[in-house]
Amino acid sequence: MEFIKSRMEVFLSFPVNDELVSEINYCCSSITFEDSEEFLFRKGDSPMGFYWILEGSVSFELKPDLQSIISAGSFVGMDNFASGQSHNFDIKTLGENVITLFIDRRCYNNVFLKRHDLSGFMLQKHLNQLIEIKNSLSSDAVA
Amino acid sequence: MGNDHSVEVPNHCSMCGNRHLSAFKNLGDEDLDQLSEMKTCVSFKKGQVIMHEGARPQGVYCLHSGKVKLYKLGAEGKEQIIRFMTKGDLLGYRSLLSEETISGSVSAIDDTYACYIPKSSFFQVIQKNPKFTLNILEKACHELGEMGKIITSLAQKTVRERLAEILLILRATFGETEEGNLDISLTREEIANMVGTATESAIRLISELKEDSLIETKGRKIKILDATRLRKIANVFD
């Protein structure tokens, strides 16, 4: 729990209290991907939840030679989760020991959606991620 | 993961009193040393989610104590409880072996202690130990058989039959306390979620079984009074 709190304090611009950390720890599952190139999602996976990257980076495999890199603090798979569509890209770890929290529908509704500051942060992170992907695709198109 | 814990669970797997119940029962000293070195003991509070449907597990949990439920969430967020698990049971191994996402969420229904074994260690033991692989295969086959029973039961049995069957399953899985009650505390909603019906229907049917002197209840405590008749109602013959 201390680790989750310390990471949240790095990412969030508002105070992180123990109650919130405890709620998140209670309803999310912590998953550490020890190896590089481990799949968080494979193309076609059902969108039952999404990951919050607490430490390390992951890559969206947009095309065989085109990746978009997402770093710690971001939420991965949220767009598919929100739209209910299966994952359209492989998403893999970049490097070892990527530490994540997995958030499902119940946890999202009961904790994340009820906190305006937290859901605002998620939205901001998600928009940044979409811009990153868009930039990767447009630079590939120019090249 | 839950909270780190190092008191309730023995540090070395060879000292574990539940090893004979688990898939690790036939492992030799060397494998047990390796597992003991790599495992992390974790505690989960009642209600805490241990594994989520849709996630990719990076290891397995071996339950040391406590009870957990495996369930799937419907579109409306309603739970369908698939089964319960207790000490010695292994969580997440099937998804790990098949490289699929987890097919159902697991949460603690009691305070639970479990040992987390990372997938690298798990696979090393599998590669080195054919007996262990066979144990895992046996477990997977048994679970497949149980799933078949559940599908048939949900498709063909009435709610009353299902309820009777589930009470018998709970007794077989968790046993009874000294007072003769089922050694598991479930809400009426959880019982309904296992039967696959509305909570109101489960409450009504529990009352009917009480009126017929098949069971006795006091709050969440349930005592089976007449297992033979309950078995007949459930259409269970084995």
Side-chain angles (χ1 to χ4, degrees):
Chain A
M1 230 172 83
E2 283 307 310
F3 175 76
I4 295 175
K5 188 178 182 188
S6 68
R7 297 309 290 163
M8 285 173 68
E9 281 169 345
V10 171
F11 304 139
L12 304 174
S13 56
F14 53 87
V16 178
N17 60 40
D18 288 345
E19 195 187 344
L20 175 62
V21 180
S22 172
E23 275 186 81
I24 288 175
N25 181 53
Y26 188 76
C27 74
C28 298
S29 48
S30 167
I31 302 176
T32 299
F33 294 83
E34 291 183 347
D35 295 326
S36 189
E37 304 233 318
E38 291 278 4
F39 287 94
L40 280 77
F41 291 113
R42 282 178 192 266
K43 193 176 172 179
D45 276 354
S46 299
M48 305 300 295
F50 56 98
Y51 293 91
W52 190 2
I53 310 296
L54 298 185
E55 198 163 278
S57 306
V58 302
S59 69
F60 279 63
E61 307 292 313
L62 301 174
K63 284 162 74 174
D65 285 320
L66 182 64
Q67 300 174 329
S68 179
I69 295 167
I70 306 296
S71 52
S74 300
F75 297 89
V76 172
M78 230 180 100
D79 45 346
N80 297 80
F81 174 78
S83 67
Q85 291 178 358
S86 300
H87 288 273
N88 29 11
F89 304 113
D90 286 341
I91 303 174
K92 297 198 276 191
T93 55
L94 265 181
E96 296 174 353
N97 293 321
V98 175
I99 304 176
T100 69
L101 286 177
F102 189 84
I103 300 157
D104 74 349
R105 173 78 54 197
R106 187 180 271 179
C107 186
Y108 177 68
N109 289 345
N110 293 344
V111 179
F112 287 80
L113 213 54
K114 284 187 179 164
R115 296 273 312 230
H116 293 305
D117 43 10
L118 202 52
S119 46
F121 168 76
M122 290 172 89
L123 185 62
Q124 187 59 54
K125 276 283 171 193
H126 192 60
L127 289 173
N128 292 345
Q129 198 182 103
L130 289 177
I131 290 167
E132 283 287 327
I133 292 173
K134 202 171 127 188
N135 289 343
S136 301
L137 287 169
S138 58
S139 51
D140 179 64
V142 169
Chain B
M1 241 179 276
N3 309 311
D4 288 346
H5 194 274
S6 57
V7 182
E8 299 275 337
V9 186
N11 285 331
H12 202 285
C13 296
S14 62
M15 306 289 284
C16 179
N18 299 326
R19 190 158 61 90
H20 67 289
L21 300 170
S22 78
F24 302 106
K25 60 187 173 191
N26 301 119
L27 292 190
D29 291 344
E30 197 187 321
D31 290 326
L32 290 177
D33 283 346
Q34 189 195 344
L35 281 180
S36 305
E37 209 171 289
M38 297 306 293
K39 77 180 171 96
T40 319
C41 299
V42 189
S43 68
F44 295 95
K45 288 181 191 156
K46 184 178 177 175
Q48 190 169 357
V49 180
I50 300 171
M51 286 183 152
H52 277 107
E53 181 180 358
R56 255 174 220 287
Q58 295 300 303
V60 296
Y61 286 100
C62 183
L63 292 179
H64 179 75
S65 63
K67 301 175 182 88
V68 305
K69 62 179 175 185
L70 170 67
Y71 60 94
K72 286 176 87 79
L73 285 181
E76 305 289 312
K78 186 171 165 58
E79 267 180 26
Q80 172 65 54
I81 297 178
I82 297 165
R83 64 196 175 95
F84 295 97
M85 284 169 281
T86 186
K87 56 190 176 187
D89 283 328
L90 210 55
L91 311 179
Y93 75 94
R94 217 179 42 76
S95 307
L96 212 56
L97 290 171
S98 61
E99 294 191 348
E100 291 170 352
T101 54
I102 296 170
S103 58
S105 299
V106 179
S107 69
I109 47 176
D110 268 352
D111 287 348
T112 293
Y113 295 99
C115 295
Y116 178 78
I117 299 155
K119 76 173 182 184
S120 51
S121 305
F122 182 72
F123 279 121
Q124 274 175 30
V125 175
I126 279 190
Q127 278 163 7
K128 277 169 57 185
N129 200 315
K131 269 189 185 167
F132 177 67
T133 311
L134 201 61
N135 289 344
I136 292 287
L137 194 61
E138 265 174 25
K139 256 186 187 299
C141 291
H142 176 72
E143 283 173 18
L144 192 63
E146 293 300 306
M147 289 301 120
K149 283 184 196 168
I150 290 173
I151 291 168
T152 314
S153 176
L154 278 169
Q156 296 183 356
K157 290 190 176 179
T158 65
V159 178
R160 182 179 162 87
E161 286 172 336
R162 289 265 306 139
L163 175 62
E165 184 180 22
I166 276 155
L167 293 174
L168 291 165
I169 290 172
L170 290 175
R171 190 172 75 156
T173 309
F174 298 111
E176 291 172 335
T177 61
E178 282 179 8
E179 297 80 38
N181 299 313
L182 296 180
D183 196 7
I184 183 169
S185 170
L186 296 173
T187 63
R188 296 294 187 258
E189 189 184 4
E190 282 173 321
I191 293 174
N193 290 347
M194 199 171 180
V195 174
T197 189
T199 309
E200 298 76 18
S201 304
I203 292 170
R204 180 176 50 78
L205 286 163
I206 288 169
S207 297
E208 282 180 22
L209 294 181
K210 271 170 71 178
E211 281 163 22
D212 294 343
S213 302
L214 293 163
I215 61 168
E216 194 178 275
T217 66
K218 195 174 180 187
R220 288 190 185 187
K221 290 176 185 163
I222 299 176
K223 183 191 269 187
I224 293 179
L225 299 175
D226 192 338
T228 312
R229 277 172 61 213
L230 211 54
R231 224 172 270 125
K232 272 187 189 161
I233 290 171
N235 277 317
V236 175
F237 302 107
D238 50 359

